[in-house]
Amino acid sequence: MAEPSFPVFDGMSRSHWVRLRTLIVLRWVAVSGQLAAIVISVAFYHLELEIGLCLMAVGVSITANLLASFVYPPNKRLSENETLLTLLFDLSQHAFLLYLTGGLNNPFAFLLLAPVTIAATTLRLRSTALMAGTAVLYISLLGFFYMPLQTNDGVLLSMPDIFRFGFWIAIVVGIGFMALYARRVANEVHSMSDALVATQMALSREQKLTDLGGVVAAAAHELGTPLATIKLVSSEMIEELEEDEMLREDAQLIRDQADRCRDILRSMGRAGKDDLHMRQAPLDTVIREAAEPHVERGKEILFNVAPGKEGGARQPSIYRRPEIIHGLRNLVQNAVDFSQEMVWVDARWTPDQIIIRIADDGHGFPPQALGRIGDPFMRIRKSAAERAKRPEYEGMGLGLFIAKTLLERSGGTLTFSNGSDPFLTEAERPARSGAIVEVAWNRSAIGAEEDESGEGLGENIPFPVG
């Protein structure tokens, strides 16, 4: 499906979302913890530490925080490189403190995971990989190079080599796992956020088009009587001014321009839609309106609207909600894009449900993608043969996500399937061999016959201004 031209955000733009104030606050928390650990180690556990060097390392962080707070405004957003350098600074400072306090014998060595996790949730893959690689390098060096940790009595605090090696393995695995896990979750959250923005923009656009149609229909309705009066009076003037050629031509011009105004209003308002029609319409009319932009695209679209079991002969009227029209339009577009020659749009109704099924004669959804249909930014690896069928198409699943989200918002339930076994030969494939999308609503969710009498809406209500 052709992707809408909505602005979605890539990794570079998202990495510029990090506020400097956020990292400053996190660094103050880290500094407080480091100072508390140093004081407790010396005062309560009587450990021999290089107090001067330890306080120097903590002082560097304090100085960096103070400079950043005074030099930059609180709402400054860091660039990709600025965020990376800030996190590398914090990682290096913590590694230096670990070097001074026993290396891997220090249980706080696992806190090297923190900067890597932050990088995984905010930076691009290359920067995250650099952070993870630097953390692994530091933790490996700390396994061999560190200042021993001992008490004032000379007791050396050191883990057995096998425990220290196991601790190194655990931290390295933790760095990899936390980075991958945090990045995967962050990417899914960001993708869903971007897709929902695109969905909201699609719905807003459809709502504006619907409102515009309502304005035009109301104008055509309101101006119908004045234009008819102008035409009637001008026609009478033409008959009475047969002897005055100049005035007769002016009267004819007035009548012609009144006819032109009527034709313009009809063309803008889709000729015949009154106010009630802008709010609700028969099921068949709404389906055809949704499919209208794709009717003349070289594929035959067959509409079949009929009652289901015990559905009753009378076709239901449904609300012309923008989300329903735009969602169905996206599904029809997808069917037309991937069909060979035919697209079928079937609608059935029962006393409890309204069901719309859209099918085509294409090759259907890729079997490996059926369980993921409706996920945003979904890319499927294609074979050379599949790319040759439609080389210009590089879908991300955003169109189907928008359709699914909008239709579910209206109360619908979507089912995606294929019309035939993908392993059948061309001769064995049925006519409706491609993708099948079924949308089912409870009739009370979109049916308008219970709330609307169909006898008109009365006087037009002005649209709110502002």
Side-chain angles (χ1 to χ4, degrees):
M1 183 183 293
E3 302 300 338
S5 57
F6 299 127
V8 292
F9 306 103
D10 57 13
M12 174 62 81
S13 61
R14 191 174 292 118
S15 66
H16 287 60
W17 292 358
V18 182
R19 284 197 312 165
L20 175 61
R21 181 177 179 82
T22 300
L23 296 184
I24 289 176
V25 171
L26 292 176
R27 186 178 291 161
W28 281 126
V29 173
V31 166
S32 301
Q34 291 167 357
L35 288 175
I38 293 172
V39 171
I40 293 174
S41 298
V42 174
F44 292 93
Y45 294 100
H46 309 292
L47 300 181
E48 284 190 356
L49 302 179
E50 293 290 340
I51 298 297
L53 292 177
C54 290
L55 293 179
M56 181 192 71
V58 176
V60 170
S61 286
I62 295 175
T63 303
N65 254 12
L66 293 175
L67 287 175
S69 300
F70 286 114
V71 172
Y72 297 104
N75 60 346
K76 176 178 172 56
R77 304 282 175 173
L78 298 179
S79 66
E80 169 90 8
N81 291 333
E82 289 171 339
T83 305
L84 176 61
L85 291 175
T86 301
L87 294 176
L88 281 175
F89 171 82
D90 292 333
L91 185 70
S92 301
Q93 187 262 359
H94 187 65
F96 181 66
L97 272 178
L98 291 176
Y99 166 78
L100 297 174
T101 56
L104 290 185
N105 295 299
N106 190 326
F108 291 106
F110 80 96
L111 289 177
L112 287 175
L113 275 67
V116 179
T117 304
I118 296 173
T121 57
T122 57
L123 303 182
R124 290 182 297 171
L125 180 60
R126 183 179 63 183
S127 300
T128 302
L130 177 60
M131 283 291 301
T134 304
V136 172
L137 174 63
Y138 283 159
I139 205 68
S140 300
L141 292 175
L142 289 171
F144 299 97
F145 306 102
Y146 58 91
M147 298 184 67
L149 196 61
Q150 61 183 11
T151 64
N152 294 335
D153 299 332
V155 178
L156 184 64
L157 302 178
S158 177
M159 290 189 293
D161 291 342
I162 189 171
F163 283 178
R164 190 161 56 248
F165 178 72
F167 194 27
W168 177 84
I169 290 289
I171 294 177
V172 170
V173 171
I175 290 173
F177 175 78
M178 290 299 295
L180 291 175
Y181 180 81
R183 184 168 186 82
R184 179 66 180 270
V185 172
N187 282 343
E188 289 183 357
V189 171
H190 292 150
S191 296
M192 185 62 68
S193 176
D194 294 344
L196 289 175
V197 169
T199 303
Q200 190 62 38
M201 293 178 68
L203 181 59
S204 176
R205 183 178 64 181
E206 193 67 34
Q207 182 68 56
K208 289 180 180 179
L209 293 175
T210 301
D211 290 345
L212 179 61
V215 171
V216 174
H221 179 74
E222 293 292 334
L223 293 176
T225 300
L227 288 175
T229 302
I230 294 173
K231 182 177 180 180
L232 176 61
V233 173
S234 60
S235 298
E236 292 177 352
M237 291 176 63
I238 292 172
E239 295 176 359
E240 296 176 358
L241 296 173
E242 292 182 355
E243 298 179 358
D244 193 330
E245 186 65 24
M246 292 185 62
L247 292 178
R248 187 172 182 272
E249 290 180 357
D250 291 341
Q252 287 179 338
L253 179 62
I254 293 173
R255 184 183 63 181
D256 293 341
Q257 292 303 310
D259 289 338
R260 184 183 177 190
C261 290
R262 178 200 60 195
D263 295 338
I264 290 174
L265 288 172
R266 282 182 177 177
S267 64
M268 292 176 65
R270 296 183 182 269
K273 288 182 181 177
D274 56 12
D275 299 337
L276 178 60
H277 200 178
M278 294 307 300
R279 293 184 56 184
Q280 66 180 59
L283 177 62
D284 181 60
T285 303
V286 175
I287 294 174
R288 291 178 183 272
E289 179 183 352
E292 181 182 1
H294 308 291
V295 170
E296 303 296 335
R297 291 182 53 200
K299 308 291 179 65
E300 184 176 0
I301 302 179
L302 299 180
F303 297 91
N304 184 0
V305 180
K309 184 177 180 181
E310 301 179 358
R314 181 174 177 271
Q315 183 178 157
S317 291
I318 65 174
Y319 292 114
R320 293 182 63 259
R321 294 177 181 170
E323 55 263 38
I324 295 177
I325 294 175
H326 192 85
L328 292 176
R329 184 170 295 159
N330 270 16
L331 295 181
V332 172
Q333 177 185 351
N334 193 67
V336 171
D337 284 346
F338 289 98
S339 65
Q340 301 292 328
E341 298 177 351
M342 301 283 294
V343 173
W344 292 266
V345 181
D346 302 325
R348 298 289 183 268
W349 64 87
T350 68
D352 301 320
Q353 277 193 319
I354 293 176
I355 301 172
I356 297 176
R357 183 181 294 110
I358 301 172
D360 61 70
D361 61 351
H363 291 81
F365 296 115
Q368 70 273 22
L370 270 176
R372 300 172 55 200
I373 296 296
D375 287 350
F377 305 103
M378 178 185 68
R379 293 190 179 274
I380 305 294
R381 290 186 178 180
K382 302 177 183 177
S383 64
E386 290 174 325
R387 288 193 297 269
K389 292 175 185 175
R390 197 161 182 245
E392 75 282 0
Y393 179 76
E394 286 293 337
M396 297 187 295
L398 190 56
L400 278 177
F401 171 81
I402 291 175
K404 183 173 181 290
T405 302
L406 292 178
L407 292 172
E408 288 178 345
R409 174 175 175 168
S410 70
T413 301
L414 279 75
T415 304
F416 301 91
S417 61
N418 286 326
S420 67
D421 192 321
F423 299 103
L424 295 178
T425 63
E426 290 296 330
E428 296 172 331
R429 294 168 66 87
R432 303 189 183 197
S433 59
I436 298 177
V437 183
E438 182 177 287
V439 192
W441 291 271
N442 288 330
R443 190 159 173 168
S444 59
I446 62 172
E449 58 268 81
E450 295 182 1
D451 297 329
E452 304 289 351
S453 64
E455 298 176 355
L457 297 178
E459 184 178 357
N460 291 326
I461 299 175
F463 282 88
V465 178

